[in-house]
């Protein structure tokens, strides 16, 4: 059974840091692009930080550049989203997702087409 299990998240003050984890099982994460997305009520899900299966292509939204970083631990089949200098506008439900195949940046940055999704985790940044 294919699963993406997320952990991390929670409540943090502005300027603080959080790390989200996304543990993959049932497939090898290095065959898939991994994307982090977020969504707030009433808005579409947006790409935050995404990396292609061979790590040649990466995408980071302008709103999180120089603050958020995606990294992978292939031995643990786990992907991380390190979030620094958090702002209240980063408050959202964050999702990780996996997209099969070696895709370019235009494919990995959009939530459409992703094959598997994590359960989502709430991140709340207080001012």
């Amino acid at each position: 059974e294919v699963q993406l299990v997320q952990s991390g998240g929670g409540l943090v003050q502005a300027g603080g840091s959080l790390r989200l984890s996304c543990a993959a099982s049932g497939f090898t994460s290095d065959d898939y692009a991994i994307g982090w997305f977020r969504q707030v009520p009433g808005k579409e899900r947006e790409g935050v930080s995404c990396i292609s299966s061979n790590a040649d292509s990466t995408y980071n939204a302008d709103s999180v550049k120089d603050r958020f970083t995606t990294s992978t631990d292939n031995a643990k089949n786990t992907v991380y989203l390190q979030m620094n200098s958090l702002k209240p506008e980063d408050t959202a439900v964050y999702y990780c997702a996996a997209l099969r195949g070696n895709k370019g940046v235009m494919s990995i940055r959009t939530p459409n087409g992703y094959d598997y999704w994590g359960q989502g985790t709430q991140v709340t940044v207080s001012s």
Side-chain angles (χ1 to χ4, degrees):
E1 181 185 5
V2 173
Q3 277 191 315
L4 294 174
V5 178
Q6 296 180 224
S7 58
L11 174 63
V12 66
Q13 288 189 330
S17 298
L18 284 174
R19 189 177 77 162
L20 306 183
S21 300
C22 177
S25 61
F27 67 96
T28 304
S29 62
D30 57 1
D31 292 331
Y32 287 73
I34 298 294
W36 288 98
F37 299 85
R38 66 187 181 187
Q39 190 169 23
V40 296
K43 291 191 175 181
E44 293 186 353
R45 194 168 294 186
E46 64 169 352
V48 174
S49 182
C50 309
I51 184 168
S52 65
S53 59
N54 61 4
D56 280 355
S57 298
T58 59
Y59 167 77
N60 287 285
D62 287 342
S63 58
V64 306
K65 279 181 181 176
D66 300 325
R67 299 190 299 122
F68 290 12
T69 303
T70 293
S71 62
T72 59
D73 185 336
N74 288 336
K76 295 182 179 180
N77 227 23
T78 299
V79 181
Y80 304 97
L81 180 66
Q82 179 67 44
M83 304 183 294
N84 300 325
S85 302
L86 282 160
K87 304 175 181 180
E89 51 265 42
D90 294 319
T91 296
V93 177
Y94 284 72
Y95 298 89
C96 66
L99 173 62
R100 186 180 308 164
N102 186 23
K103 308 291 186 181
V105 65
M106 294 305 292
S107 293
I108 65 174
R109 61 179 290 179
T110 175
N112 300 328
Y114 271 76
D115 297 289
Y116 306 108
W117 288 86
Q119 80 275 21
T121 185
Q122 178 70 44
V123 171
T124 302
V125 185
S126 62
S127 57

